Amino acid sequence: MDTGDRLLTPGEVAALFRVDPKTVTRWAAAGRIGSIRTPGGHRRFRESEVRALLEGEGEFDEDNPPGSPSPASPPGAGATPRAAGSRPGGY
Amino acid sequence: MDTGDRLLTPGEVAALFRVDPKTVTRWAAAGRIGSIRTPGGHRRFRESEVRALLEGEGEFDEDNPPGSPSPASPPGAGATPRAAGSRPGGY
DNA sequence: TGATATTAGGGTAATTCGGGAC
DNA sequence: CATGTCCGAATTACCCTAATAT
């Protein structure tokens, strides 16, 4: 039950994602990422969760590496399955 | 009645919140978190209260799976005796 | 008695918050 | 629709020295 992961500051998460801290705040506000608030109102994020998001947890597919001339148009191969049910926060 | 009345030092609380020990002291000075003072003037915090703050103060319930450890409310466990929804200073 | 690690206190910079607009 | 930047305000982080706790 130990969630024992480090907590990251908005600036840390922003640097990891290469986005603005404000954007990270928006994600948290939208419920797209879990956030813990300090008594002062500042947010802290779990490193485990951020890492999972960075790895592309729940979102993989759509790959067409250059050099993979795969015709990519398989007749019945439902390409690009836009799975939309794997979003943390499930929305 | 041991609901975990273990006392934590400012450094412990600071590590849990990923903040500076000084910040934890500031919370206590602002009355945002209960604090017990040693005869020497140092502060100690209750693990129960710190944990409640970490889990999310106000937005977590709806979870009482059968078999869950009795969250319970043993006597003398006053967790959250302090109102934490107040933001003096306006925010 | 000693020594070491942590904490308290004050002050100043950096970060984050919140909302609204482009 | 999502992202980045602007503002003012609050919160937090790091600097220091002295006192306390173990």
Side-chain angles (χ1 to χ4, degrees):
Chain A
M1 34 193 85
D2 206 329
T3 17
D5 18 47
R6 283 171 300 181
L7 294 175
L8 301 177
T9 61
E12 280 278 277
V13 180
L16 259 33
F17 280 96
R18 283 259 187 238
V19 296
D20 238 58
K22 185 78 168 178
T23 301
V24 178
T25 295
R26 279 179 181 150
W27 294 344
R32 291 211 261 237
I33 180 173
S35 59
I36 297 176
R37 312 262 289 201
T38 66
H42 283 203
R43 295 187 182 85
R44 294 278 121 94
F45 305 91
R46 292 191 180 278
E47 199 212 21
S48 328
E49 194 166 338
V50 174
R51 271 188 155 195
L53 257 28
L54 278 171
E55 290 291 317
E57 238 250 285
E59 178 101 35
F60 39 83
D61 243 282
E62 197 290 276
D63 57 296
N64 223 352
S68 199
S70 271
S73 340
T80 7
R82 222 59 180 153
S86 306
R87 241 64 169 159
Y91 198 81
Chain B
M1 319 151 146
D2 62 282
T3 36
D5 286 57
R6 194 172 38 169
L7 294 177
L8 302 178
T9 62
E12 284 283 288
V13 181
L16 289 169
F17 278 94
R18 203 16 184 125
V19 296
D20 201 273
K22 231 40 144 202
T23 302
V24 179
T25 295
R26 222 173 280 115
W27 295 342
R32 286 181 165 137
I33 180 172
S35 60
I36 298 175
R37 307 263 280 186
T38 67
H42 284 200
R43 291 183 187 120
R44 292 281 123 87
F45 305 91
R46 290 192 181 276
E47 197 205 18
S48 344
E49 194 167 341
V50 174
R51 271 179 133 195
L53 255 37
L54 271 173
E55 288 299 313
E57 43 201 278
E59 170 89 78
F60 221 123
D61 45 91
E62 202 277 66
D63 211 285
N64 220 7
S68 213
S70 264
S73 1
T80 347
R82 238 98 232 167
S86 289
R87 242 144 248 226
Y91 199 72

